Amino acid sequence: MTKLTQLQKLVNEKGELMVMSDTGEKFELHKHNVKFDESSDLVEIDGGTKKFWLIPSKIAYYWTHDKARED
């Protein structure tokens, strides 16, 4: 299972996932504001006034409210 698939699965199961990039930036992924693009291996976050794109391999840490995982 790729990291993109893992992230997508967690968002679908939990409804929300917090991630921290390797640069220390933190993002919240929600079912309503995120798209997973397998063809480009990107996570697109719609932040309302801004869009963000994350490369799954650059996510250093992610967590839900009940557990955390460091990669």
Side-chain angles (χ1 to χ4, degrees), residues 2-50:
T2 67
K3 190 179 257 188
L4 181 74
T5 305
Q6 289 174 325
L7 298 171
Q8 186 173 18
K9 182 180 177 204
L10 282 169
V11 169
N12 286 332
E13 287 176 3
K14 302 292 184 174
E16 174 184 61
L17 182 69
M18 284 64 72
V19 299
M20 184 175 69
S21 72
D22 60 354
T23 61
E25 293 176 282
K26 294 180 182 174
F27 300 92
E28 287 190 25
L29 311 180
H30 298 270
K31 284 183 177 182
H32 68 273
N33 75 339
V34 68
K35 293 180 186 172
F36 298 92
D37 188 345
E38 291 181 27
S39 64
S40 63
D41 194 35
L42 290 174
V43 178
E44 180 183 325
I45 305 167
D46 184 351
T49 58
K50 284 179 131 181

